[in-house]
Amino acid sequence: ATAVATAAGILGHAPRRVSVPFFWSDQFGWRIQALGYAGPGLCVTAEGDASAFVARYTDPRGALRAAVVARRADALPELRRELADGEMALAG
């Protein structure tokens, strides 16, 4: 995706901004935040414990397609970048 943005800059084209779907909800004292598109065929892995976690949804190639975060807002910026880069690679 960085190569796509670099090439666009060299050619004088404005880089495409990719919007990553996002929503959040507060449930029973938990802030739950979700990014991307979760769907069938994705593999789910989780990091953390019962008090805070990040669940990553990856496609068969290992590319991140969605994430659910509970009490781990610090993980959101990097997840957003990874999702946007993946979407740009698919579109480019």
Side-chain angles (χ1 to χ4, degrees):
T2 303
V4 172
T6 302
I10 290 169
L11 296 172
H13 301 289
R16 256 186 297 183
R17 291 193 70 136
V18 175
S19 176
V20 175
F22 172 76
F23 74 91
W24 61 269
S25 181
D26 289 330
Q27 299 292 323
F28 305 102
W30 285 63
R31 164 94 15 122
I32 300 169
Q33 298 164 301
L35 305 134
Y37 297 101
L42 298 179
C43 177
V44 182
T45 57
E47 308 163 357
D49 56 33
S51 65
F53 66 85
V54 174
R56 298 172 56 89
Y57 295 77
T58 55
D59 67 18
R61 297 173 304 124
L64 184 66
R65 294 284 154 241
V68 175
V69 177
R71 293 184 175 164
R72 283 289 316 276
D74 61 304
L76 290 173
E78 180 59 33
L79 291 166
R80 253 186 226 282
R81 275 191 295 281
E82 188 175 348
L83 283 164
D85 287 349
E87 289 300 316
M88 283 181 63
L90 287 176

